[in-house]
């Protein structure tokens, strides 16, 4: 059963982001990171847990303040403002995956 997470980081460097991306790819998560300090993760294998992700976030982002939310199954809603053109669209991934 897939699991969904929202990860919010207080602040990050490009190097820290890259380290977290390596972790995400190693776990084969689907992910969205259009807003600088926000990550949406989908573990399609369902093997992750919020504590392990929090610990990895602390490691990758040098103990920066963070919040990790695990989303429950079911319908939800969201809204946003940002680019939605053909070349640059921050909503396609959300519409297709989230």
């Amino acid at each position: 059963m897939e699991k969904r997470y929202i990860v919010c980081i207080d602040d990050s460097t490009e190097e820290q982001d890259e380290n977290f991306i390596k972790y995400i790819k190693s776990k084969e998560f689907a992910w969205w990171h259009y807003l600088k300090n926000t990550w949406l993760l989908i573990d399609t294998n369902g093997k992750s847990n919020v504590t392990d992700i929090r610990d990895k976030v602390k490691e990758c982002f040098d103990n920066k303040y963070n919040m990790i939310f695990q989303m429950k199954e079911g319908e939800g809603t969201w809204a946003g403002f940002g680019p939605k053109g053909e070349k640059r669209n921050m909503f396609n991934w959300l519409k297709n995956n989230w």
Side-chain angles (χ1 to χ4, degrees):
M1 174 183 302
E2 77 178 22
K3 295 181 179 179
R4 295 169 185 253
Y5 303 94
I6 299 173
V7 177
C8 303
I9 309 295
D10 185 37
D11 192 20
S12 66
T13 66
E14 190 173 323
E15 181 180 349
Q16 291 169 327
D17 289 347
E18 289 172 6
N19 286 333
F20 194 56
I21 290 169
K22 287 178 188 175
Y23 163 73
I24 291 169
K25 288 181 176 180
S26 76
K27 295 294 184 179
E28 299 179 348
F29 291 166
W31 56 284
W32 178 93
H33 176 63
Y34 211 96
L35 302 175
K36 176 148 177 54
N37 296 317
T38 303
W39 303 78
L40 303 182
L41 308 178
I42 301 174
D43 175 3
T44 56
N45 298 313
K47 295 180 180 177
S48 61
N49 67 63
V50 73
T51 304
D52 290 341
I53 293 173
R54 182 215 46 215
D55 292 346
K56 193 62 179 183
V57 165
K58 286 173 59 180
E59 177 186 323
C60 288
F61 296 98
D62 195 30
N63 287 320
K64 299 280 185 185
Y65 294 154
N66 64 74
M67 294 289 297
I68 295 89
F69 302 90
Q70 182 173 351
M71 309 307 291
K72 295 287 183 185
E73 282 187 62
E75 290 294 318
T77 188
W78 57 270
F81 172 77
K84 54 185 176 186
E86 285 184 36
K87 291 185 179 182
R88 230 177 131 220
N89 189 319
M90 75 184 241
F91 301 107
N92 279 340
W93 187 91
L94 292 168
K95 289 176 184 175
N96 295 327
N97 298 286
W98 196 253

